[in-house]
Amino acid sequence: LRIAKIRHNNQLGVAAVGDGTLRAIFGDQSLNDLDEVVRAEGGGLRHVYERCFESGVPVQEAEVVFLPPLSRPSKILCVGLNYREHADETGFDAPEHPTIFARFASGLIGHNNPLVKPAFSDELDFEGEMAVVIGRSGKNISREQALEHVAAYSVFNDGSIRDVQFQTTQWTVGKNFDGTGAFGPWLVTPDELPRGATGLDIVTRLNGEVVQSASTADMIFDVAELISSLSTAMTLEAGDVIVSGTPAGVGFSRKPPLFMQEGDVCEVEIESIGCLRNPVVVDQRAQLSTSGSSSTN
Ligand code: MG
């Protein structure tokens, strides 16, 4: 199943792909709110799909606005350094344990919506990644059971403001600027994909040129391992999202560096899951915060 959250003619809706067509239901809050559909831990996505084809209307993909498929995940757990060549290019050692940081829902944008570069930074970087949506809550989940907890997979661009990210040892701020977490367009259920969504081509293109190209089989910690490992610490809840790490080729590790500029278009495509496309705009209001004792209130 391929399902998206959309807006069309100022109406919120949910859409599903089947037989090459996109059909949508508008105005039904119990279906539109995919966060709640997933949190309900049932066959909610299948119900959405069936309703779209029983009583939905056909819509043109080019005419709809895509929203992030989940707009307020209970957690967004991101994995750093989960592809060996990427760890190498950044100068970090390949980790023995998953390197986890958090993103927050406030930074999420949908397919075709602009990635936002703050005017004070010239270091907006791309990171093409596979997102894993948890559909069944659990704690201390075994590796063998882990994939039963996945509701869907999607595509993510973990946009990063590198100069801010590396100002400190904690990456949270540089990873959480508004308009930098691109997510979507589709939630794709596991039955459409190889087990654990492994072995899929993952490619990032900047203005049509390939800048990252790998296979999801290259992950150091695969999806089952990430779920099992994270759940030893915290309850994974239905509606959480795990963003599973980026392959080699990111902009800041290149010589010379390659960062995204106003007018650029970045695409992240994962085989059988979808293509997430975002243009880049500049937020001219963004001011660099200054450290020190002076303040202007
Ligand atoms: Mg990342």
Side-chain angles (χ1 to χ4, degrees):
L1 315 181
R2 308 172 74 77
I3 290 165
K5 187 169 175 178
I6 62 168
R7 198 171 58 230
H8 185 50
N9 294 334
N10 280 324
Q11 288 192 94
L12 271 181
V14 66
V17 184
D19 297 331
T21 64
L22 188 61
R23 296 182 73 90
I25 295 223
F26 295 99
D28 183 333
Q29 178 63 17
S30 71
L31 300 177
N32 291 348
D33 190 339
L34 290 179
D35 290 85
E36 284 304 321
V37 167
V38 171
R39 281 175 200 164
E41 298 204 24
L45 292 176
R46 176 156 297 280
H47 178 64
V48 167
Y49 174 88
E50 287 168 357
R51 286 290 310 279
C52 284
F53 281 85
E54 284 163 12
S55 48
V57 294
V59 290
Q60 297 297 319
E61 190 174 325
E63 292 174 1
V64 304
V65 175
F66 285 88
L67 303 172
L70 304 182
S71 57
R72 46 179 207 295
S74 26
K75 298 190 243 344
I76 306 172
L77 298 164
C78 299
V79 189
L81 312 174
N82 200 21
Y83 288 77
R84 204 165 300 277
E85 288 178 22
H86 172 60
D88 289 346
E89 72 177 349
T90 61
F92 288 96
D93 293 330
E96 289 177 35
H97 308 281
T99 300
I100 304 297
F101 62 92
R103 289 194 69 121
F104 306 108
S106 51
L108 295 177
I109 57 170
H111 174 60
N112 286 330
N113 286 270
L115 287 160
V116 179
K117 185 182 93 63
F120 64 77
S121 173
D122 287 321
E123 299 194 6
L124 170 61
D125 206 348
F126 48 81
E127 291 194 355
E129 311 202 15
M130 184 169 76
V132 182
V133 176
I134 299 297
R136 194 197 325 158
S137 301
K139 180 85 195 310
N140 294 318
I141 301 165
S142 70
R143 191 184 149 78
E144 292 66 36
Q145 287 295 312
L147 296 177
E148 311 310 316
H149 291 256
V150 177
Y153 295 89
S154 190
V155 184
F156 205 95
N157 191 340
D158 178 23
S160 307
I161 308 297
R162 297 296 190 198
D163 40 0
V164 176
Q165 180 187 347
F166 295 128
Q167 275 172 348
T168 63
T169 58
Q170 304 294 315
W171 301 348
T172 308
V173 177
K175 289 285 193 177
N176 277 286
F177 274 59
D178 285 1
T180 62
F183 182 23
W186 312 107
L187 294 183
V188 178
T189 50
D191 56 311
E192 302 256 337
L193 302 169
R195 190 159 170 78
T198 192
L200 303 176
D201 291 336
I202 176 168
V203 174
T204 305
R205 291 181 291 268
L206 186 60
N207 302 322
E209 189 165 321
V210 173
V211 287
Q212 296 185 284
S213 179
S215 163
T216 56
D218 299 338
M219 286 194 236
I220 297 171
F221 304 102
D222 65 14
V223 173
E225 190 66 38
L226 291 171
I227 290 169
S228 176
S229 167
L230 283 163
S231 75
T232 62
M234 61 192 89
T235 301
L236 290 180
E237 298 165 291
D240 288 350
V241 177
I242 299 171
V243 183
S244 58
T246 202
V250 298
F252 89 91
S253 295
R254 290 168 173 268
K255 294 181 180 57
L258 174 65
F259 293 114
M260 294 189 284
Q261 310 294 334
E262 184 167 32
D264 284 353
V265 174
C266 192
E267 294 169 298
V268 181
E269 183 160 15
I270 306 178
E271 178 185 3
S272 304
I273 299 181
C275 183
L276 170 67
R277 174 192 181 279
N278 299 93
V280 177
V281 300
V282 171
D283 178 4
Q284 297 292 352
R285 299 162 309 166
Q287 298 291 318
L288 183 62
S289 69
T290 53
S291 56
S293 57
S294 64
S295 70
T296 51
N297 287 325

